[in-house]
Amino acid sequence: MTRVHPVIRTVGDALRGMLIGFAEIVPGVSGGTIALLVGVYDSLIDGAGHLARGVALTVADGIRGRGLSRASAHFRSVRWNVVLPIGIGMLLAIVLGAALLAPLIEQFPTGTRAVSAGLIAASLIVPARMVGGRWTFREILIGLLAAGVAVALTSLPQARDADPALIIVSLAAALAVCALVLPGVSGSYLLLILGMYAPTLAAVNDRNLGYLGAFAIGAIIGLGLFVSALQWLLKNRRRVTLVIMTGLMLGSLRALWPWQTEEGEVLAPGADFGIVLLLIALGAVVVLGILAAEAALVKRRMLSPDIAADPEPDAQLPR
């Protein structure tokens, strides 16, 4: 099969990262969902797990005087040729999105939610297809239960924006980054519920290094605590984990109901019902177009199906 040129692959991964970064700016849209859609979810989970453990071991072993051999082994296991361009793309998108997309969300909330709802609804195809085969009755129940949890989470009242202490920033970041790697759960929406969405966007726009540093520390801690468990589930309970992810994505559509108050309360459809339906359809067409294009390129052998291949089996790492 024809392989993709490394430069083209790097640019493609950076563009994938930008899509994930833009998704993280929009409340209700899950970056993990977009990662699944563009085919880099497994690579990101694996890289994030090694990176978080490497950082933790650097600190722990450095304090104990044990050297950096264990941390270095984890850092070497990160597929930097994939993770680095994705990370750069995400950072660029977050910076640009904070400046450009946030005002758009504020000025056109109904339209933005409508397009996002179309994107997520069509994206349900990805994890549902990854489950493989016909769903059992038990799996349907599990998926619906997960959807109910997502509906309950996205129905929580949103807190008022405040000027939080840095320790609160770190705690919120640890929670939000877990949402980044869990399809169907929006990190931005969790920040919105905690009343920290606007302060975080302001910190990005103002280059508030203290705030951003505290956020980064919390994110690393959250990854270290959460990703290992998720990796185990994807390896040992992959089917049911994907069923739960599909349910979470379905339930997350509650956060993207186009007509709602500033506090997130659901309203009846308005006079713009027709336009909103068109915007929902537009979002769905974008996703379906991406999936169709990918399938066509793979069929014609212009694109390798492992363009963002699953991570290679880990080498034996020192404990």
Side-chain angles (χ1 to χ4, degrees), residues 61-85:
D61 288 353
I63 293 175
R64 298 172 183 175
R66 294 182 176 180
L68 301 178
S69 61
R70 295 199 302 170
S72 297
H74 281 289
F75 288 138
R76 288 194 300 271
S77 296
V78 177
R79 299 183 65 213
W80 293 106
N81 63 322
V82 175
V83 173
L84 194 59

Side-chain angles (χ1 to χ4, degrees), residues 7 44 65 74 120 148 158 172 179 184 189-190 203 208 215 219 227 232 237 255 257 264 276 279 290 292 302:
V7 173
L44 281 182
H74 281 289
I120 301 305
Q158 299 170 11
Y189 197 84
L190 291 180
N208 186 334
F215 196 94
V227 171
W232 186 91
R237 300 288 188 272
W257 177 255
V276 168
L279 292 174
I290 292 174
M302 297 175 65

Side-chain angles (χ1 to χ4, degrees), residues 185-235:
V185 181
S186 167
S188 292
Y189 197 84
L190 291 180
L191 291 177
L192 200 62
I193 291 172
L194 296 172
M196 295 183 60
Y197 180 69
T200 302
L201 282 187
V204 173
N205 287 327
D206 299 338
R207 310 297 188 267
N208 186 334
L209 298 183
Y211 188 108
L212 296 177
F215 196 94
I217 292 172
I220 292 172
I221 293 173
L223 283 175
L225 295 174
F226 183 74
V227 171
S228 294
L230 186 57
Q231 283 180 307
W232 186 91
L233 288 171
L234 287 171
K235 181 180 180 180

Side-chain angles (χ1 to χ4, degrees), residues 149-182:
V149 170
V151 170
L153 180 63
T154 54
S155 299
L156 292 174
Q158 299 170 11
R160 295 184 178 181
D161 297 324
D163 185 15
L166 293 184
I167 184 63
I168 302 300
V169 173
S170 293
L171 292 174
L175 181 62
V177 79
C178 293
L180 170 62
V181 297
L182 190 61

Side-chain angles (χ1 to χ4, degrees), residues 26-317:
V26 182
V29 181
S30 168
T33 297
I34 305 303
L36 266 178
L37 173 64
V38 298
V40 297
Y41 184 75
D42 282 342
S43 293
L44 281 182
I45 290 296
D46 181 78
H50 283 303
L51 186 59
R53 288 192 289 274
V55 171
L57 286 172
T58 297
V59 176
D61 288 353
I63 293 175
R64 298 172 183 175
R66 294 182 176 180
L68 301 178
S69 61
R70 295 199 302 170
S72 297
H74 281 289
F75 288 138
R76 288 194 300 271
S77 296
V78 177
R79 299 183 65 213
W80 293 106
N81 63 322
V82 175
V83 173
L84 194 59
I86 291 175
I88 292 173
M90 288 178 63
L91 288 176
L92 288 175
I94 289 171
V95 171
L96 291 174
L100 301 176
L101 193 56
L104 188 65
I105 296 171
E106 184 177 350
Q107 294 178 27
F108 306 102
T110 301
T112 303
R113 284 193 291 266
V115 174
S116 299
L119 290 170
I120 301 305
S123 297
L124 286 168
I125 295 173
V126 178
R129 186 173 59 186
M130 290 173 67
V131 172
R134 181 175 298 179
W135 287 34
T136 66
F137 180 72
R138 175 175 173 270
E139 288 170 341
I140 293 174
L141 288 180
I142 292 174
L144 291 175
L145 179 61
V149 170
V151 170
L153 180 63
T154 54
S155 299
L156 292 174
Q158 299 170 11
R160 295 184 178 181
D161 297 324
D163 185 15
L166 293 184
I167 184 63
I168 302 300
V169 173
S170 293
L171 292 174
L175 181 62
V177 79
C178 293
L180 170 62
V181 297
L182 190 61
V185 181
S186 167
S188 292
Y189 197 84
L190 291 180
L191 291 177
L192 200 62
I193 291 172
L194 296 172
M196 295 183 60
Y197 180 69
T200 302
L201 282 187
V204 173
N205 287 327
D206 299 338
R207 310 297 188 267
N208 186 334
L209 298 183
Y211 188 108
L212 296 177
F215 196 94
I217 292 172
I220 292 172
I221 293 173
L223 283 175
L225 295 174
F226 183 74
V227 171
S228 294
L230 186 57
Q231 283 180 307
W232 186 91
L233 288 171
L234 287 171
K235 181 180 180 180
N236 297 282
R237 300 288 188 272
R238 185 172 183 85
R239 185 177 176 90
V240 70
T241 301
L242 289 170
V243 167
I244 292 172
M245 288 181 178
T246 305
L248 290 173
M249 288 174 60
L250 177 63
S252 72
L253 290 172
R254 154 63 182 83
L256 297 172
W257 177 255
W259 302 277
Q260 52 183 280
T261 66
E262 292 182 0
E263 291 73 28
E265 297 177 3
V266 172
L267 300 175
D272 54 354
F273 181 75
I275 296 176
V276 168
L277 281 183
L278 287 176
L279 292 174
I280 292 173
L282 175 63
V285 166
V286 169
V287 171
L288 295 176
I290 292 174
L291 295 176
E294 180 185 20
L297 290 173
V298 169
K299 185 177 181 180
R300 297 180 183 181
R301 298 191 175 185
M302 297 175 65
L303 180 67
S304 171
D306 61 347
I307 177 68
D310 288 348
E312 299 174 358
D314 290 340
Q316 186 66 33
L317 298 175

